[in-house]
Amino acid sequence: MDKLSKYEIEGKCGEGTYGVVQRARNKDSDELVALKYIKLESEDEGIPSTAIREIALLKELQHPNIVSLQDIVLESSQLILIFEFLEQDLYNIIKANDFQGLEIPIVKSYLRQMLEGVAHCHSKKVLHRDLKPQNLLVSKDGCLKLADFGLARAFGIPVKNYTHEVVTLWYRPPDILFGSKTYSTHIDMWSVGCIFAEMVSGHPMFKGEDEKDQLDKIFKIKGTPDPDKWTGMHELPLYDGMKDELPQYDPKDISEFVPTLDETGLDLLEQMLQCDPMCRITAADALDHPFLAEE
């Protein structure tokens, strides 16, 4: 309790993967922090493996565009992670703009910072696996940081089999919706593309109600993929059981959904939102795209 006594709780500021997140002030430095509480099931079970993984990954991922873990406090019934405090998340910024979409220079700033954080994760062999506007924190001076690494995983080569129960539905790529368990960095890049489009338009691009409806929403815009052109589509675990029910859609002009985006922006978005994961642009290459080179 000694460590915790130097923090004065000021109120709840959200819910994380595990539970409540409180805003607090460091009495010594007057600095605001976020306290993330992780309930321990029992003394025998100890700290959940997901929490251990998150702590280990955050200690490895020191970067200006990744939220900083400052301290850890272990009490008998709970673990408390102490993070730097950021005033709001990207979802609330989009909401504050009445879901009308953000100005393109702001979109570029947030997108660049998001890609810097994602590229750093990928360079350290870490997949975030749950990128969405609510998990992107923004300071009052416009610094964006990746947060909530509760579903993050280190990955190796060759790629191991991972669970497909990852990524919030609206930001989940078609390969994962078809049950792929052998994925890599391209899982995060689809999510980045969805967030990019949402910043521009003010609304999620693919708002499915379940996995099947999510695929339908994606294919209505992107067009139903040709399994002869998507290498490995035939081998996806859920494809055989779904292929006869897949409606056949022609691709739509993506500019209908993001009308304020210019040609270079549309090109970058298209390269992120490729149904075939092997065709998606990497975070490092996206940072070099002309859309982000322009002032």
Side-chain angles (χ1 to χ4, degrees), residues 34-261:
L35 307 182
K36 181 175 180 178
Y37 293 82
I38 299 168
K39 193 168 184 180
L40 306 181
E41 296 301 321
S42 69
E43 286 186 29
D44 296 338
E45 290 181 33
I47 301 169
S49 59
T50 48
I52 294 170
R53 188 189 301 147
E54 181 174 14
I55 292 163
L57 292 177
L58 283 166
K59 285 193 171 294
E60 176 78 12
L61 296 171
Q62 305 281 325
H63 190 272
N65 297 115
I66 295 173
V67 71
S68 169
L69 177 63
Q70 296 183 350
D71 209 346
I72 303 161
V73 178
L74 180 60
E75 291 184 344
S76 56
S77 62
Q78 59 187 354
L79 182 70
I80 302 156
L81 307 187
I82 300 170
F83 290 94
E84 64 176 316
F85 180 80
L86 287 93
E87 284 72 15
Q88 55 193 332
D89 62 40
L90 183 58
Y91 172 79
N92 280 313
I93 290 172
I94 294 169
K95 181 181 176 183
N97 207 44
D98 296 325
F99 302 106
Q100 296 299 307
L102 306 178
E103 292 178 11
I104 295 301
I106 294 170
V107 170
K108 288 185 181 186
S109 172
Y110 289 159
L111 180 60
R112 173 171 282 286
Q113 292 181 80
M114 182 176 16
L115 286 165
E116 293 279 8
V118 171
H120 182 71
C121 289
H122 293 173
S123 74
K124 295 285 187 179
K125 301 271 190 282
V126 172
L127 309 175
H128 187 283
R129 304 201 304 176
D130 195 20
L131 291 170
K132 56 185 175 182
Q134 292 88 339
N135 287 344
L136 299 168
L137 302 182
V138 183
S139 70
K140 58 180 177 238
D141 59 357
C143 179
L144 179 143
K145 302 195 181 204
L146 277 54
D148 205 337
F149 281 73
L151 288 175
R153 278 296 297 261
F155 66 92
I157 299 171
V159 178
K160 298 173 186 171
N161 279 338
Y162 301 120
T163 175
H164 70 278
E165 301 293 327
V166 291
V167 187
T168 301
L169 187 63
W170 295 348
Y171 308 91
R172 197 179 301 172
D175 44 308
I176 304 300
L177 292 163
F178 278 126
S180 174
K181 295 178 182 178
T182 54
Y183 49 79
S184 186
T185 55
H186 40 68
I187 183 177
D188 287 336
M189 291 311 298
W190 177 275
S191 304
V192 170
C194 292
I195 296 163
F196 177 18
E198 188 169 344
M199 286 194 289
V200 174
S201 72
H203 300 278
M205 196 162 194
F206 312 113
K207 289 178 67 174
E209 293 179 10
D210 53 37
E211 282 90 346
K212 188 178 173 186
D213 188 47
Q214 187 66 20
L215 278 170
D216 191 68
K217 294 283 194 294
I218 291 168
F219 296 159
K220 263 184 184 165
I221 295 175
K222 293 295 301 171
T224 307
D226 181 344
D228 294 327
K229 291 181 180 173
W230 174 348
T231 308
M233 189 176 181
H234 292 286
E235 281 84 53
L236 291 169
L238 305 180
Y239 175 69
D240 269 348
M242 297 170 78
K243 64 182 179 184
D244 295 331
E245 299 174 25
L246 288 178
Q248 295 303 303
Y249 297 114
D250 291 325
K252 291 186 177 174
D253 185 343
I254 208 167
S255 66
E256 290 177 32
F257 305 93
V258 281
T260 58
L261 212 49

